[in-house]
Amino acid sequence: MNAHVQAPAPTVVKTTCPYCGVGCGVLATPDGFGGAGIAGDTEHPANFGRLCSKGSALGETLSLDSRLLHPSVDGVRASWESALGTVAGGLRKVAEQHGPDAIAFYLSGQLLTEDYYVANKLAKGFLGTPHVDTNSRLCMSSAVAAHRRAFGSDTVPGCYEDLDEADVIVLVGSNTAWCHPILFRRMVDARAKRGTKLVVIDPRRTQTGEEADLFLGLKPGTDTTLFSGLLVHLASAGALDYRFVLDHTTGFEGALERARSIAPDIAATAAATGLPEADVGAFFALFTRTKRVVTAFSQGVNQSAQGTDKGNAIINCHLATGRIGKTGAGPFSLTGQPNAMGGREVGGLANMLAAHMHFAPEEVDRVRRFWSAPNIITGEGMKAVALFEAVERGKIKALWVMGTNPVVSMPRADAIREAIKGLDLYVVSEAVADSDTACATGRKTILLPAQAWGEKDGTVTNSERRISRQRSFLKSPGEARADWAIISDVAKRLGHGEAFAYPNAAAIFREHASLSAFENNGTRDFDIGAVSDISDAAYAGAKPLQWPLTKRGASKDGKQRLFADGQFFTFDKRARFVAVQPPALAQAVSEDFPFVLNTGRVRDHWHTMTRTGKSQRLSAHRDVPFVEIHPDDAAAMGVTHGGLATVSTAHGAAVLEIMVTDGMRRGDLFAAFHWSGATASEGRVGALARGIPDPVSGQPELKATPAAIAPAVYRSRGFLLTRDQRSLPAGWWWARATILGGSGLHFATQESSREVALMLRGMFQGLEIAEYADHARGRYRFAAYDGDRLVACLALAPGEAKPGWESEKAYFAADDLEPSARRALLSGRAETASAGPTVCACHGVGLDVIAATIAAGAHSVEAVGVACKAGTNCGSCIPEIRKLLPQALARDAA
Ligand code: SF4
């Protein structure tokens, strides 16, 4: 049920998408009943009106199903007064008994900058604990560390316009087509307009790789070798910008010498990376002869035990050629989360203090004075992996998690779920009641209902340093409150009322902006002093702004690019080349675990699916947790496409559906991390990763855990469609997906069809049940009706392939069924052809429709779009459509 209450007047509200770091502008038009129409903001410079499938479906995620609406203490509903008193009392007690550093905060790139700022200030200035880290540690902290080593500051030098203006775009460890789809459209547009070449470097030939002009499917973990080889090649080809290197950098000779020892020439680079020599040569030649090169990198680089070195190996090549801060040229870290950058700005990482300041004594003193902080910290805290290990060891006694789901997303997630049980105080500020993290319990557990997207009010910063407003357009349901208000109320109860007396988010933003400019004088990159006295009204109407925004001169109106002048934020203003370490996998494969498990994302889901999982459109593209494997490996391991397999590591196991694809390298596996305990019985992929941290950034390795794979054999598989969510018996494998009009479960079981019939039919007592049973062949179907209304539908078949449910989903959406449709439903023979599994989520176009469109004569992506609209909105399904084209045409010709 949707119980948002809202005045009926439809007003368009300009806000920002809450998913990836592209930071697209969104126009939300509330419908007066708790929902909203969603469109892209044509005036927002990140997306100019476009939205990807996730952004387009935001209106389908606003229901109050599964929302946390009231505070609770140890599972019992409590007043805010009582819950906040318990939090404050618990924090005080832990600080008194064990010291403040027994308290930890785990924050999120989903928080708004204002929330982040207040949490960071309370912990680091007033409680006096340095242990404040964030899920951004898992996302881009290696990029932060690489920036700091090279530039002396965590600065993204370029802007999105560089993607429009580049002649070559190198994408490293980035499935941009799926994970930053609107930026990928800009890249594809640039190719159409100016012939921009796309080079994709990734062990997996992803949908982005399918679109590449040159795809380099290198061995996992060898990115440093490739870019070391490139640096050597640039030097030997005389392609360096000697003036820039001499005048504006230090450390070149050492970095080049190290690069030579790692990858002395093209042949050695090819041998070490497993790439064809010709491809390495082609990449090096393209990079060498092209001035306008952007190298964009994301999680494939960052989520690595050598992520910082990988980032610096890339940056070295740009510094060596002076291709930085210039139109169409520069290294570019694509951030994963909507406000990863805002979190960095306020100091939400354990190795930062605030406003891009760290722990030099003068910085600590400056922040202490600015905050009038009684308990300012003086050094770094524990980063995410170490922080949760300290929870396991009992060193951390109190943990406050805000807006994130570490019990699913952290490496060794099963161990973390166990460790939480030992906490004296476990506080979760959440919008979702049934997340795995909200369902975990410590000795004292307090759940605090937080506002969700559409209710929150504040700012976020995207990958190009652009600060945009997230505006409220829905009234907060139940007792949900802003995170900053919750934290401030706890601060008041701890005796810090004056420092946390914020009347609104605008006041926090002003303080944050003032701190960025406080005693800055151009010594720190992050400076938004120009908006430190922004009025409430101006804040309410603020357009997207790009920092730096200094009060002084040139960058008063924001600055698109930095470092073109060769001035960096080091003491001598010179950038640093870094002599990177030779690459090595953090953990070698073994006889027991012969594969390398890579984890990542799918196109239509976000993080642990607490929001995108509510959308039937977004749930249709990938509806079960899966593992991708090369055809030769699949044959060798006895697993088949569509079957189930157990993927195990030294840390956990998951049962996943097999996807056989030649996009995988032999010896590699890939699994998406989105499924949680709430959406699948055994799909928690985070539990499998070891997460060995990068020694510089502390970012855990999530791309290379030694793993094993074996068939998971069940007697039969089936599906159950119901109007409301149902649970299946213990021991069954299942995965849940939202469908139009209800909820769907794919399942597998060792029970006989007769036993399944007995067990599941009983769920629908009192309803009219129509059945088809052929127990001798292990087949069973039923449909349950309430009058004319179809309320449940089950199909079970022997064997390991999951029965398709597209036709049944269509019947389920139709609600009331004609007698002929009832018969068809029971027989399993659809009256009309189904659309097939969803390919284009924006327009809800299925595989079978696209195949039919191609068969009918649409022989290009454009023609398919004209005929059935597939691929005409965000375009992130275009690689899949393109892949269907030759296959379908080949079939037609046969
Ligand atoms: Fe949202 Fe998609 Fe834009 Fe990312 S690319 S901000 S998910 S609409």
Side-chain angles (χ1 to χ4, degrees), residues 185 188 191 210-211 861-862 877-887:
R185 295 325 303 161
V188 170
R191 176 157 70 181
E210 295 283 353
E211 292 285 296
V861 167
E862 293 72 24
C877 60
I878 285 175
E880 282 168 275
I881 298 172
R882 205 188 299 287
K883 222 176 167 188
L884 289 171
L885 278 167
Q887 285 174 9

Side-chain angles (χ1 to χ4, degrees), residues 316-542:
N316 281 349
C317 294
H318 279 270
L319 289 174
T321 48
R323 292 174 191 160
I324 189 161
K326 294 180 180 154
T327 303
F332 203 138
S333 154
L334 302 179
T335 50
Q337 298 199 75
N339 201 27
M341 291 283 275
R344 287 146 77 167
E345 290 156 13
V346 303
L349 290 159
N351 50 324
M352 298 172 160
L353 181 52
H356 279 203
M357 282 179 274
H358 294 79
F359 296 98
E362 65 274 17
E363 291 177 312
V364 172
D365 184 58
R366 184 180 301 129
V367 177
R368 181 191 62 76
R369 285 184 284 112
F370 183 86
W371 281 344
S372 300
N375 294 309
I376 193 80
I377 59 161
T378 55
E380 293 186 7
M382 288 184 281
K383 297 163 187 159
V385 171
L387 187 153
F388 280 100
E389 284 171 357
V391 173
E392 283 180 84
R393 292 198 310 275
K395 182 171 176 351
I396 295 295
K397 306 284 184 191
L399 176 67
W400 190 343
V401 179
M402 293 182 201
T404 181
N405 201 357
V407 171
V408 180
S409 54
M410 277 293 293
R412 296 172 62 249
D414 285 347
I416 285 168
R417 184 167 55 187
E418 274 309 297
I420 284 171
K421 291 179 185 162
L423 286 164
D424 290 348
L425 182 70
Y426 177 51
V427 186
V428 181
S429 305
E430 242 312 339
V432 179
D434 64 356
S435 78
D436 290 16
T437 297
C439 294
T441 52
R443 294 194 177 106
K444 177 69 68 188
T445 303
I446 299 105
L447 298 187
L448 304 173
Q451 291 174 334
W453 183 77
E455 301 149 18
K456 289 167 180 259
D457 187 63
T459 56
V460 290
T461 307
N462 72 4
S463 296
E464 61 163 356
R465 294 174 274 104
R466 194 176 297 280
I467 300 169
S468 298
R469 292 273 283 115
Q470 249 191 40
R471 293 184 173 89
S472 155
F473 58 89
L474 294 172
K475 189 171 182 293
S476 298
E479 296 181 79
R481 302 183 66 201
D483 284 288
W484 65 260
I486 297 170
I487 303 157
S488 297
D489 272 358
V490 169
K492 284 169 201 159
R493 281 165 175 76
L494 290 167
H496 308 303
E498 206 180 321
F500 291 85
Y502 301 111
N504 52 29
I508 302 167
F509 184 81
R510 283 190 289 271
E511 183 177 308
H512 164 57
S514 300
L515 177 56
S516 76
F518 184 57
E519 298 175 0
N520 189 331
N521 302 320
T523 52
R524 308 194 300 270
D525 65 334
F526 179 66
D527 184 342
I528 55 170
V531 287
S532 57
D533 51 4
I534 190 170
S535 68
D536 287 1
Y539 177 83

